[in-house]
Amino acid sequence: KQYGWIKEGIEQVVPLSVFTFLTPMQLERRIAGCAEVTVQALKDITEDADRDHKVVKWFWEIFEAFDQVERKSYLQYVWGRNKIPEDCSDLSHRHQIHIEEHWDKARLPEGHTCLFSINFPVYESCEKMREKLKYAMETCGEIDADYGEQAIRQDSDGESDPPPSDGRGSSSYGNEESE
């Protein structure tokens, strides 16, 4: 009975006859994306991937040296998903690498999942850039503050509790730096 409901739900989105033309592997790749993240696949969906700037060249050197777990972690950090779709023809945003010449070299790179982009300061070396990128990827936590302070305060009825006081009568919530 439950399988029937699933079948009925799928059929409302796509005709079941389409599935007769796909192998199980093809169907999985269309639904879940390619299991392997290749350098070429990311380059193919990156704006200006061959730009002649040392930060861009270092990025590709670093990404090429990443294993599959690190490549998927990078995609999660900048895109909020860890696989590249099989068909990328209708992506709303292409991957972008932005270089922030004015940023402090000690700053971590900044991923923007909504825009599928990353901002880098101009680091003094490829090794320093690798170190900062890996640290950012490993410690970024959840994306888009899905499990941030505000979500934690949600009551069971869906309403938010008031922000905490800093003891001076003003709120300490919401004073974080914005982009």
Side-chain angles (χ1 to χ4, degrees):
K1 189 174 182 177
Q2 291 176 344
Y3 287 118
W5 292 335
I6 292 171
K7 182 179 172 184
E8 186 179 320
I10 291 172
E11 196 165 30
Q12 289 181 5
V13 178
V14 62
L16 293 179
S17 60
V18 169
F19 297 116
T20 61
F21 298 107
L22 301 172
T23 67
M25 184 64 82
Q26 290 171 326
L27 180 60
E28 179 183 356
R29 285 192 1 221
R30 294 224 176 214
I31 292 171
C34 300
E36 183 180 347
V37 178
T38 66
V39 174
Q40 191 58 52
L42 186 58
K43 278 188 172 185
D44 288 347
I45 58 172
T46 299
E47 288 185 15
D48 211 10
D50 296 323
R51 187 168 20 155
D52 188 30
H53 190 286
K54 69 180 181 181
V55 170
V56 175
K57 290 178 181 180
W58 288 345
F59 171 80
W60 292 116
E61 182 180 323
I62 292 165
F63 193 78
E64 188 165 353
F66 279 173
D67 62 25
Q68 284 299 305
V69 171
E70 291 167 321
R71 288 179 184 183
K72 289 178 180 189
S73 177
Y74 173 76
L75 288 178
Q76 188 72 36
Y77 179 65
V78 298
W79 202 11
R81 57 174 93 174
N82 62 12
K83 293 181 182 177
I84 296 175
E86 181 161 300
D87 179 9
C88 296
S89 61
D90 64 348
L91 289 179
S92 58
H93 297 288
R94 293 174 53 86
H95 179 242
Q96 298 176 38
I97 302 167
H98 298 284
I99 301 156
E100 304 296 344
E101 303 276 351
H102 64 282
W103 279 9
D104 185 320
K105 290 174 178 33
R107 186 171 175 165
L108 293 172
E110 195 171 279
H112 303 279
T113 56
C114 291
L115 301 173
F116 192 13
S117 67
I118 189 163
N119 298 56
F120 287 105
V122 180
Y123 295 109
E124 55 272 356
S125 69
C126 182
E127 186 53 43
K128 182 56 78 173
M129 184 171 157
R130 177 182 292 111
E131 174 188 314
K132 296 287 189 179
L133 177 58
K134 286 186 74 165
Y135 182 81
M137 289 167 25
E138 292 166 1
T139 61
C140 76
E142 299 295 330
I143 64 168
D144 301 329
D146 289 341
Y147 299 100
E149 187 176 10
Q150 187 67 20
I152 292 169
R153 283 204 201 93
Q154 292 282 321
D155 287 338
S156 60
D157 63 359
E159 293 188 28
S160 297
D161 292 335
S165 171
D166 64 3
R168 296 177 294 182
S170 63
S171 169
S172 61
Y173 177 74
N175 293 331
E176 299 83 20
E177 288 184 17
S178 60
E179 293 182 30

